Amino acid sequence: MKKIVILGAGTAGTMMLNKLSKALDPKEWQLTIVDKEKAHYYQPGFLFIPFGIYEKEDVIKPKDNFFPKLANVVYSPIDRIDAENNVVHLQNDQKLDYDYLIVATGSEICPDEIEGMTDELWYKSIFDFYTIEGAVALAEFLKTWEGGEMVLNIAEMPIKCPVAPLEFVFLADDYFKKKGMRDDVDITLVTPLDAAFTKPVAAKSLGGFLEEKNINLVTEFNIGRVDNEQKKIVSWDEREVEFDLLVSIPTNMGSKAIERSGLGDELNFIPTNKHTLQSDEYENIFVIGDATNLPSSKAGSVAHFESDILFENLLSAIEGKPLEAQFDGHANCFIESGGGKGLLIDFNYDVEPLPGKFPIPGVGPFSLLKETRMNHLGKMGFRWLYWNALIKGRELPLEPQMSMAGKQKPKIIEQKTQTLNLN
Ligand SMILES: Cc1cc2nc3c(=O)[nH]c(=O)nc-3n(C[C@H](O)[C@H](O)[C@H](O)COP(=O)(O)OP(=O)(O)OC[C@H]3O[C@@H](n4cnc5c(N)ncnc54)[C@H](O)[C@@H]3O)c2cc1C
């Protein structure tokens, strides 16, 4: 038997397992997937938990529900990959050898990277919403909070779902309005970027939203430490922002297992070919989703488009053919803007988000870069699609490559301008 091992059974790993199990002969190929956790989290749903729109139960299902029958499933933390010898060492002392390895270990928040972040105020006045624990604790806190300075801070880029911080402050504005306490809360978005949103066309559409909703913006703020006593965040250049409630998006990093394997960059993301998704270093290792170092967004939609490319290229590699499928950096993100409305952006490595209609050119039903009720319904409907089609590896009527059909004012931009907030 030849062996394919998939590390990580989140969005990308589960999709790849389902696609491969339909295509490969089980008498010839053994498919193994490894994860440390038995629960599958619908992470886009974490955004809604603090505001009571979703409960914990709405975003969790057993991982086992989504695996094909013949797959070999191992629940254990991964210790390290020995890429020279084609072996993965697990923390349960098992060793898994492989012919091909797919790394889909995602990214995680590392609040300990910031001095003072996890001291006495952690989960008392400082919360994250990128973990289920953080989102649930913040929901509890907000139920009885009487108001004050709410600061949302992005520690550094890249982060997964780069639009989530904006969505959070828009939803917070809505939440406090509905509770009749908006005048008692000051909302401030503190970002290391030089604007809330810097891609030119998207910035024009979105930039005004903060002002309209009376949300303050502090830019180019690179957090150095949290002062728990005086309740303030302090930047490396000694600027200070005071808070009563700090919602933090701490440093996002790849899995510690990647660090232990010596396969990652300084943030534990794996150097990966941006078009073929093959590891830069090892021909029989492919990387997908948030675990890569690609200049694309870290998003479930990106993992989905990548899964089509990786599937084709892995089959080519198995047959000894050149890797012809090319990932173009395609990302597609709904952005909740509050008040039951939302926006949609669609872009790739070379083309910034543009206005237009999606997915049927000229028709929609979704509108690109425009705030509509239909876009909000698309965002809320996505959870059903995720559980029932996407992670099961079913074909969706969406091409992996971004299409210009239905888009207005095409503008090809230089790769170097792609480095900011959507990456
Ligand atoms: C608040 C929030 C909102 C978001 N909103 C959106 C959105 O609206 N649209 C969108 O497209 N995307 C969104 N995302 C991003 C999306 O959830 C991720 O990009 C996507 O899940 C990435 O898939 P992945 O498979 O690469 O990683 P994950 O789905 O995170 O899976 C990684 C898996 O690897 C496992 N793993 C890691 N290390 C180890 C180890 N050492 N041993 C064993 N197992 C390990 C983990 O347990 C996990 O199951 C959002 C994310 C967050 C946090």
Side-chain angles (χ1 to χ4, degrees):
M1 291 278 266
K2 291 204 170 164
K3 293 174 183 169
I4 296 176
V5 172
I6 302 173
L7 299 182
T11 310
T14 309
M15 279 190 293
M16 284 314 300
L17 177 68
N18 282 307
K19 279 173 185 277
L20 290 169
S21 78
K22 285 177 203 147
L24 296 174
D25 182 351
K27 292 193 199 93
E28 266 184 63
W29 288 93
Q30 186 192 52
L31 295 174
T32 300
I33 193 157
V34 184
D35 206 290
K36 57 183 158 54
E37 285 207 47
K38 292 194 168 180
H40 190 119
Y41 297 100
Y42 173 64
Q43 296 176 49
F46 293 176
L47 171 70
F48 298 106
I49 291 177
F51 308 111
I53 301 167
Y54 284 172
E55 303 283 326
K56 188 176 176 181
E57 297 70 40
D58 296 323
V59 301
I60 303 180
K61 288 189 192 285
K63 279 193 160 83
D64 284 337
N65 287 10
F66 303 101
F67 298 143
K69 278 200 190 90
L70 291 177
N72 178 30
V73 179
V74 184
Y75 288 112
S76 164
I78 300 151
D79 185 45
R80 69 196 159 85
I81 302 160
D82 175 358
E84 291 298 330
N85 294 301
N86 301 330
V87 181
V88 179
H89 296 258
L90 304 184
Q91 287 185 6
N92 68 2
D93 287 337
Q94 228 179 315
K95 288 180 198 165
L96 299 171
D97 57 317
Y98 60 85
D99 295 285
Y100 292 96
L101 184 70
I102 298 174
V103 186
T105 41
S107 70
E108 58 195 24
I109 58 159
C110 298
D112 288 333
E113 289 286 311
I114 299 146
E115 188 189 326
M117 183 66 80
T118 51
D119 289 356
E120 58 270 28
L121 294 184
W122 184 242
Y123 283 17
K124 293 195 184 79
S125 306
I126 305 176
F127 299 87
D128 75 274
F129 70 99
Y130 268 45
T131 60
I132 189 72
E133 296 79 16
V136 169
L138 180 52
E140 272 312 303
F141 177 88
L142 285 177
K143 277 181 195 164
T144 54
W145 192 46
E146 287 175 359
E149 300 284 342
M150 188 191 97
V151 171
L152 185 136
N153 173 240
I154 304 166
E156 62 178 303
M157 302 302 282
I159 58 170
K160 54 182 158 185
C161 196
V163 294
L166 278 171
E167 293 183 286
F168 186 92
V169 291
F170 295 157
L171 286 177
D173 167 67
D174 211 28
Y175 174 83
F176 294 125
K177 268 186 196 146
K178 281 189 188 136
K179 282 185 98 176
M181 57 183 284
R182 183 62 181 91
D183 289 344
D184 304 325
V185 182
D186 249 345
I187 305 177
T188 306
L189 174 64
V190 181
T191 169
L193 301 169
D194 61 5
F197 221 73
T198 53
K199 278 181 176 289
V201 182
K204 198 161 170 257
S205 299
L206 282 166
F209 276 51
L210 291 175
E211 218 171 307
E212 216 174 89
K213 293 174 193 286
N214 199 15
I215 297 168
N216 312 308
L217 177 66
V218 176
T219 57
E220 296 182 83
F221 187 98
N222 291 298
I223 188 170
R225 63 191 166 87
V226 180
D227 182 333
N228 280 252
E229 235 164 71
Q230 302 203 24
K231 285 190 152 182
K232 59 189 183 189
I233 51 174
V234 185
S235 67
W236 287 110
D237 56 0
E238 296 298 326
R239 288 155 71 204
E240 297 178 351
V241 179
E242 290 181 0
F243 65 85
D244 295 301
L245 164 60
L246 175 62
V247 180
S248 168
I249 300 179
T251 310
N252 280 217
M253 294 178 79
S255 170
K256 297 270 184 296
I258 303 304
E259 186 179 10
R260 290 191 289 269
S261 310
L263 288 177
D265 60 16
E266 69 285 356
L267 288 172
N268 303 339
F269 295 125
I270 305 176
T272 305
N273 183 298
K274 68 188 257 206
H275 295 301
T276 65
L277 306 179
Q278 192 173 39
S279 126
D280 281 348
E281 237 181 309
Y282 296 92
E283 278 191 359
N284 63 342
I285 300 183
F286 289 82
V287 195
I288 183 168
D290 295 353
T292 73
N293 73 336
L294 299 188
S296 49
S297 287
K298 294 198 181 298
S301 66
V302 171
H304 170 237
F305 296 131
E306 286 174 342
S307 73
D308 286 342
I309 305 297
L310 179 46
F311 174 71
E312 251 186 86
N313 280 341
L314 185 59
L315 294 189
S316 298
I318 287 170
E319 290 169 17
K321 293 181 183 161
L323 309 183
E324 280 177 354
Q326 300 278 299
F327 181 56
D328 66 354
H330 189 189
N332 181 281
C333 303
F334 286 108
I335 307 170
E336 270 300 283
S337 52
K341 291 188 181 167
L343 294 99
L344 178 64
I345 50 175
D346 192 58
F347 58 99
N348 70 10
Y349 288 142
D350 302 316
V351 181
E352 66 169 306
L354 294 169
K357 293 284 182 188
F358 186 89
I360 306 170
V363 177
F366 304 118
S367 305
L368 296 168
L369 267 181
K370 201 172 158 198
E371 197 189 30
T372 68
R373 172 102 184 127
M374 185 51 86
N375 288 340
H376 160 73
L377 295 176
K379 172 111 187 171
M380 302 317 277
F382 191 73
R383 184 173 54 138
W384 185 91
L385 202 70
Y386 183 88
W387 292 129
N388 293 289
L390 195 112
I391 55 168
K392 290 182 175 168
R394 300 216 166 111
E395 286 298 319
L396 298 183
L398 290 173
E399 288 302 316
Q401 268 84 20
M402 196 206 75
S403 163
M404 283 306 295
K407 295 199 167 81
Q408 296 155 14
K409 295 185 197 150
K411 187 179 172 209
I412 309 296
I413 56 166
E414 291 289 311
Q415 184 61 44
K416 60 179 184 291
T417 64
Q418 190 77 13
T419 51
L420 290 171
N421 56 336
L422 289 173
N423 297 343

